[in-house]
Amino acid sequence: MTEKMRIEEIIVVEGKDDTKRLQQFVDADTIETNGSALSEDTLEKISHAEQVRGVIIFTDPDFSGEKIRKQITEVVPTAKHAFISRKKGEPKNAGGSLGVEHADKEAIIGALKNVSTPKQTEFTSEIEIEDLIYFGLIAGNCAKKRRELLGEKLNIGYTNGKQLKKRLTMFQIEKDTFIQAMKDILKDEQNDRI
């Protein structure tokens, strides 16, 4: 039997199924939010966990998961973030909901090895809304797909067009890094059309 990856921080997930799935592949403790309406008690637990061992937020790649992530970040701005793509969180059976509980070992281990931490220092992003429009991240047929790919490439997760600039700033993504990631994405798009 292979030894499981040990995670020191406490991982915040949405429910029991997420905990079960994670514990198949990693040795870690979790706090379950049990839905997107976080109680004061749950937020206090998460805040205390951050002070004692650190916290990794690992919620589903959907609207509810983003809502939970945002609520926790307001209370615990130093929390780390692990992300899986929407594709990696798709259920195997039709009708199931998107989630961490559907991710395979590779996706889970990859997400936990590539956690992102919002920086607490003052950061002024050089990435402008015009850059997001130029690269087709806000409007157009490919905008959503490009945001998904960008979030995966930069380990910052998927976000909608309105929140993208804020997410890039939160994780202090430099303009050069952003431009290179977008060039890679556009190059891959071109290659897929050939």
Side-chain angles (χ1 to χ4, degrees):
M1 188 171 127
T2 59
E3 197 170 314
K4 292 180 183 178
M5 175 182 172
R6 173 76 185 131
I7 305 294
E8 291 304 316
E9 297 91 344
I10 296 172
I11 303 173
V12 179
V13 295
E14 292 183 46
K16 295 186 290 239
D17 292 337
D18 297 329
T19 294
K20 286 178 192 170
R21 189 67 172 164
L22 284 177
Q23 290 178 344
Q24 289 178 328
F25 311 121
V26 296
D27 179 12
D29 296 316
T30 62
I31 293 174
E32 296 165 3
T33 65
N34 298 312
S36 60
L38 294 177
S39 69
E40 282 299 315
D41 184 49
T42 300
L43 287 170
E44 283 177 25
K45 261 190 237 174
I46 294 167
S47 182
H48 179 69
E50 173 66 9
Q51 293 168 13
V52 177
R53 289 180 42 197
V55 165
I56 299 173
I57 304 169
F58 197 7
T59 54
D60 297 343
D62 60 10
F63 178 79
S64 294
E66 281 302 309
K67 182 179 175 187
I68 293 166
R69 191 178 293 277
K70 188 176 177 182
Q71 287 176 297
I72 295 169
T73 301
E74 286 175 11
V75 176
V76 186
T78 54
K80 295 176 182 175
H81 296 259
F83 298 96
I84 57 168
S85 67
R86 295 174 71 80
K87 184 177 181 180
K88 291 179 181 172
E90 287 178 350
K92 306 298 179 245
N93 303 323
S97 63
L98 201 60
V100 171
E101 74 266 21
H102 302 298
D104 63 16
K105 180 179 181 177
E106 182 183 331
I108 289 171
I109 298 294
L112 292 170
K113 281 186 175 178
N114 293 299
V115 295
S116 299
T117 307
K119 304 287 191 265
Q120 297 305 303
T121 57
E122 196 61 39
F123 178 78
T124 305
S125 177
E126 294 177 10
I127 302 168
E128 301 293 336
I129 294 294
E130 290 78 17
D131 298 316
L132 304 181
I133 293 167
Y134 175 80
F135 284 110
L137 293 163
I138 292 182
N141 298 340
C142 301
K144 181 177 180 182
K145 181 70 176 162
R146 287 179 182 168
R147 288 193 308 272
E148 286 175 1
L149 294 169
L150 182 66
E152 202 169 326
K153 191 171 269 303
L154 298 176
N155 293 314
I156 62 169
Y158 171 78
T159 186
N160 65 31
K162 285 182 175 180
Q163 294 296 315
L164 182 56
K165 184 169 176 10
K166 184 176 180 180
R167 179 75 57 92
L168 291 165
T169 302
M170 181 171 104
F171 287 104
Q172 296 190 3
I173 303 298
E174 298 287 343
K175 189 168 185 173
D176 293 346
T177 304
F178 164 76
I179 289 172
Q180 186 57 55
M182 284 311 305
K183 283 181 178 178
D184 293 345
I185 289 167
L186 294 175
K187 183 179 176 185
D188 289 346
E189 264 182 28
Q190 281 295 102
N191 291 340
D192 288 345
R193 287 187 195 134
I194 296 173

